[in-house]
Amino acid sequence: MPANYLHGVETQRVDRSPRAVNIVKSAVIALICTAPMGPVNTPTLLLNDKDGAAFGPDLAGFSCADALDAIYDQGDATVVVVNVLDPAIHKTTIATENSVVNASGQFKTAFPDVISLAVTASGGTPTYAVGTDYTVDMLTGRCQRTPASTIPANASLKLAYTYADPSKITAAEINGTIDAQGRRTGLKALADCYQLFGFAPKILIAPGYSTLATVSTELIAMADKLGGKALIDAPLGLTVAQAISSRGPVANSNFNTSNDAAMLCYPHVKVYDSVTDTVVLQPLSARAAGVMAAKDVEKGYWWSPSNTEINGIVGLERNLTAKIDDPQSEVNALNEVGIVTVFNSFGTGYRLWGNRTANFPSESGLSTFISVTRTQDIIDESIRYFTLQYIDRLQNQALVDAVVNSINQLINKLIGDGALLGGKCWYDVARNPETEFANGHLTFNYKLMPPPPFERGTFESELTSEYAASVK
């Protein structure tokens, strides 16, 4: 019955049209790290490498700048940074440190990110005044004798200072907590990302910390919750045999998991450090994350990151035998137990190598491929968010048709894009009994098949004399 009497004509708008399903962002990396600057325990969005300057320069002991450099070496990515270092808590005091003014009038602290500094002569007196006798860059700890300084040339000095100390960070602080006011820290702060930015990270890394089983388990759990992948690094110094063994019941092993939200990365990679002018070892996870994000942007989230060249590395922690037709090669042995590694053969450059998540080889088939499970995760989440606009509307045929048609339009588009080989959404009356309908509950079904990567090729070679007859 109409709500009001009307002797005339009216128009009632009926919405039966399908709606677009917006795909969630995939090329978003969550970086849990330590930085000398920037917000603490607050998810901070970086849209490009310039935004990373807010977290300070590359300083010894801090992981943020190195990781961002590794990511952006590979190409475009959106990064959510959670810096866990709080200088009010994570600090160390040096009571006495000897230093000498060099010929350029410079001296420095042994540790960077200085919070407070006192400079005296080697005998303890006099005390020199900052701004009058010397200037200081608190981030680097570098000091410069001023023209009017009372510090003698080439003087021996004593420094007393407090500095922010990333070595004070514990696994518990990486994992984070929820305080009495509901504020999240560390990894747990990633749960706030959707409310803050409208999307959640899909590639999670904690370089330098994911080698700890106490951290890797929480990183994997968060990735599982967010529908993403956690990139877990092997501890530094493992041999190939030890890395493979760590997939089994080894004490405190961070590789002993069968969760499809985990990607296991081995070995560390060699990178030139311009600050120290040396080659240093860095975790593979940051560069693997950058490769994944860049591949998402360039090709699509349904492409495997494997067999993609890694930029910015000059070597590996340990040389690995790599030959595409050798099942006994070390890179193949690592892939065989679900470890993503680096392929480096003649003329290939350094390539990320491996298609499988950590549920391989305990599981097999589509659900073990990185690209396939990422595709399913992203489509599933996109459909959930799309459905918000229909929640609490009246249950009727128009609503059912709109939902089914919308999802089928998405599936057809993804088939056209190459993200799916096929798929279909439908409403099954048998799955929706009267009791559930009356309780406000509708069940929709859909199936889909992302294309698995071409991981193994077999050529059957036959030697034959049948073409001899062509010789006249």
Side-chain angles (χ1 to χ4, degrees):
M1 286 288 291
N4 300 300
Y5 173 81
L6 171 65
H7 184 177
V9 178
E10 65 180 342
T11 299
Q12 293 184 346
R13 295 182 177 179
V14 179
D15 183 3
R16 294 191 178 94
S17 61
R19 303 287 183 90
V21 180
N22 296 317
I23 292 292
V24 297
K25 291 179 179 289
S26 64
V28 182
I29 299 169
L31 170 60
I32 312 300
C33 61
T34 54
M37 294 169 52
V40 177
N41 282 313
T42 301
T44 303
L45 183 64
L46 309 184
L47 298 178
N48 52 55
D49 53 351
K50 292 181 180 179
D51 292 344
F55 288 94
D58 181 9
L59 299 177
F62 294 89
S63 62
C64 186
D66 278 343
L68 290 176
D69 181 64
I71 290 167
Y72 287 117
D73 269 355
Q74 316 313 315
D76 295 329
T78 299
V79 184
V80 175
V81 173
V82 179
N83 168 32
V84 298
L85 188 138
D86 185 347
I89 300 171
H90 308 111
K91 58 184 178 180
T92 294
T93 297
I94 303 293
T96 301
E97 180 178 283
N98 296 324
S99 185
V100 176
V101 180
N102 66 20
S104 300
Q106 298 173 343
F107 58 97
K108 71 183 294 294
T109 59
F111 296 94
D113 203 7
V114 176
I115 300 169
S116 62
L117 173 66
V119 179
T120 65
S122 59
T125 57
T127 298
Y128 299 111
V130 64
T132 301
D133 293 307
Y134 66 95
T135 59
V136 58
D137 180 342
M138 300 294 272
L139 268 178
T140 63
R142 290 190 178 93
C143 302
Q144 176 67 56
R145 182 173 171 268
T146 64
S149 177
T150 59
I151 299 175
N154 304 316
S156 295
L157 304 174
K158 282 190 176 179
L159 312 181
Y161 62 97
T162 299
Y163 67 96
D165 188 353
S167 70
K168 298 286 188 180
I169 297 291
T170 66
E173 288 166 324
I174 294 292
N175 294 336
T177 60
I178 304 175
D179 67 17
Q181 287 73 43
R183 291 174 298 204
R184 297 176 175 88
T185 65
L187 263 174
K188 288 183 173 57
L190 297 180
D192 294 329
C193 285
Y194 189 81
Q195 283 71 22
L196 291 172
F197 312 124
F199 52 83
K202 296 299 178 191
I203 305 167
L204 279 61
I205 57 173
Y209 300 99
S210 66
T211 56
L212 304 171
T214 48
V215 171
S216 66
T217 53
E218 293 298 317
L219 195 66
I220 294 167
M222 180 58 72
D224 206 7
K225 179 179 180 180
L226 298 177
K229 300 298 180 194
L231 277 56
I232 307 301
D233 289 297
L236 192 64
L238 291 190
T239 65
V240 173
Q242 288 170 332
I244 291 172
S245 296
S246 68
R247 293 290 277 128
V250 177
N252 299 317
S253 171
N254 65 329
F255 272 20
N256 187 13
T257 176
S258 63
N259 195 312
D260 68 358
M263 279 178 57
L264 309 178
C265 300
Y266 172 90
H268 281 53
V269 295
K270 292 181 178 179
V271 179
Y272 172 70
D273 183 3
S274 60
V275 176
T276 60
D277 192 28
T278 59
V279 172
V280 297
L281 287 170
Q282 291 181 357
L284 174 59
S285 61
R287 293 183 187 271
V291 166
M292 292 173 68
K295 183 62 81 68
D296 283 7
V297 172
E298 180 186 0
K299 297 288 190 181
Y301 52 86
W302 54 92
W303 281 69
S304 172
S306 184
N307 200 13
T308 303
E309 193 160 0
I310 307 170
N311 296 326
I313 66 175
V314 297
L316 303 178
E317 171 194 359
R318 185 178 298 275
N319 288 330
L320 304 174
T321 57
K323 202 176 175 191
I324 196 169
D325 59 353
D326 182 9
Q328 302 305 314
S329 68
E330 289 172 326
V331 294
N332 195 71
L334 291 162
N335 283 177
E336 191 175 5
V337 294
I339 298 174
V340 174
T341 187
V342 180
F343 186 101
N344 179 37
S345 191
F346 185 82
T348 64
Y350 297 96
R351 294 171 177 262
L352 197 66
W353 197 253
N355 286 303
R356 309 283 184 151
T357 57
N359 62 338
F360 181 81
S362 59
E363 297 179 22
S364 60
L366 287 173
S367 65
T368 66
F369 286 110
I370 295 166
S371 57
V372 170
T373 53
R374 290 190 75 217
T375 301
Q376 185 179 23
D377 285 340
I378 288 163
I379 293 173
D380 288 349
E381 184 175 318
S382 300
I383 289 173
R384 291 196 299 272
Y385 290 157
F386 146 81
T387 309
L388 173 64
Q389 61 195 310
Y390 291 104
I391 293 297
D392 297 330
R393 290 193 179 193
L394 297 178
Q395 292 184 157
N396 52 34
Q397 191 64 50
L399 182 141
V400 169
D401 291 344
V403 171
V404 170
N405 291 339
S406 297
I407 296 173
N408 278 324
Q409 283 187 7
L410 169 68
I411 289 172
N412 290 335
K413 180 186 183 302
L414 292 174
I415 292 171
D417 290 342
L420 296 176
L421 297 178
K424 177 185 178 182
C425 177
W426 69 96
Y427 177 83
D428 186 351
V429 176
R431 297 289 308 279
N432 289 274
E434 181 181 330
T435 51
E436 287 300 296
F437 187 93
N439 204 36
H441 179 205
L442 298 180
T443 297
F444 298 89
N445 295 85
Y446 61 92
K447 58 183 179 181
L448 47 86
M449 183 180 180
F454 174 42
E455 185 180 63
R456 179 173 184 163
T458 300
F459 295 92
E460 294 186 352
S461 172
E462 178 182 351
L463 188 64
T464 179
S465 63
E466 65 185 278
Y467 302 109
S470 64
V471 180
K472 302 299 183 181

